[in-house]
């Protein structure tokens, strides 16, 4: 709530490489965060809204795997939130992670990360707004799985969802 501390947090956040790569108006983002970020939950929500608006999206979401570790806190912060737990076969997930620039080049470390993230997400499986989606089923049966996800999230399904969008 302290404006000086808020400015410090916002400046530190905007200096990260991850934000620098986002291709958004950093001055506008800073102004938005300085106005709206009176708590950590308000800052997170403000970031999500800003990115959605900057990319012309009417809804926002977040897919950082580390958020699986805090789903219970996110439900407390945002009681209406929907959590879609995308579960991928660990062998495929670990093999994929080995090719990612941000992941360790170590099978054991990546296996532990996969296990930690999925156990974290599963802690919220008792919540009514938690949906488990198996990656392999989404890939092999995309239409019925997307229909199921849309129905769960309260979104209208569109066949256009089946068409890849490579626009960054």
């Amino acid at each position: 709530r302290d404006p000086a501390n808020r400015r410090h947090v916002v400046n530190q956040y905007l200096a990260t490489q991850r934000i620098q790569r986002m291709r958004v108006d950093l001055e506008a983002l800073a102004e938005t965060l300085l106005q709206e970020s009176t708590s950590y939950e308000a800052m997170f929500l403000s970031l999500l809204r800003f990115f959605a608006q900057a990319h012309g999206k009417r809804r926002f979401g977040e897919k950082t795997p580390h958020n699986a570790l805090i789903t219970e806190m996110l439900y407390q912060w945002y009681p209406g939130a929907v959590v879609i737990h995308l579960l991928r076969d660990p062998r495929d997930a670990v093999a994929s992670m080995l090719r990612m620039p941000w992941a360790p080049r170590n099978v054991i470390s990546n296996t532990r990360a996969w296990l930690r993230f999925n156990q974290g997400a599963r802690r919220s499986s008792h919540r009514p707004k938690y949906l488990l989606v198996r990656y392999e089923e989404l890939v092999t049966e995309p239409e019925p799985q997307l229909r199921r996800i849309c129905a769960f999230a309260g979104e209208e399904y569109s066949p256009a969802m089946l068409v890849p969008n490579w626009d960054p």
Side-chain angles (χ1 to χ4, degrees):
R1 291 186 178 102
D2 176 355
N5 186 48
R6 186 179 323 146
R7 181 171 296 286
H8 176 74
V9 170
V10 168
N11 288 340
Q12 291 294 312
Y13 184 71
L14 294 179
T16 64
Q17 285 183 4
R18 176 174 286 175
I19 280 298
Q20 297 289 319
R21 292 189 307 254
M22 291 290 183
R23 292 190 263 164
V24 295
D25 182 343
L26 294 179
E27 287 182 30
L29 176 57
E31 184 178 318
T32 299
L33 293 176
L34 289 170
Q35 289 175 9
E36 298 177 4
S37 299
T38 56
S39 65
Y40 288 116
E41 56 262 45
M43 182 176 182
F44 188 62
L45 190 59
S46 183
L47 282 166
L48 294 177
R49 276 193 199 123
F50 184 89
F51 287 122
Q53 289 171 353
H55 296 286
K57 306 295 182 184
R58 57 184 190 89
R59 275 191 79 148
F60 54 83
E62 221 297 320
K63 61 181 184 176
T64 305
H66 284 86
N67 287 338
L69 304 175
I70 60 168
T71 55
E72 285 299 296
M73 182 178 72
L74 292 172
Y75 275 122
Q76 289 173 5
W77 285 2
Y78 317 110
V82 171
V83 170
I84 299 172
H85 177 186
L86 186 61
L87 178 64
R88 187 174 186 187
D89 180 288
R91 296 164 296 185
D92 293 329
V94 169
S96 176
M97 290 166 68
L98 289 170
R99 295 187 302 271
M100 296 295 130
W102 45 262
R105 300 284 183 261
N106 182 295
V107 170
I108 293 173
S109 295
N110 290 331
T111 301
R112 285 183 179 144
W114 178 93
L115 183 61
R116 189 170 40 126
F117 295 147
N118 283 286
Q119 285 176 335
R122 288 292 256 184
R123 279 194 288 275
S124 293
S125 63
H126 66 283
R127 300 254 182 198
K129 296 202 174 190
Y130 166 96
L131 178 67
L132 176 65
V133 176
R134 297 191 183 278
Y135 175 85
E136 291 76 14
E137 291 174 11
L138 181 60
V139 170
T140 58
E141 304 169 352
E143 183 176 347
Q145 293 301 316
L146 284 172
R147 286 183 182 278
R148 183 171 78 100
I149 293 166
C150 287
F152 185 79
E155 282 296 314
E156 186 177 330
Y157 169 78
S158 167
M161 293 176 176
L162 296 170
V163 179
N165 179 355
W166 302 111
D167 184 23

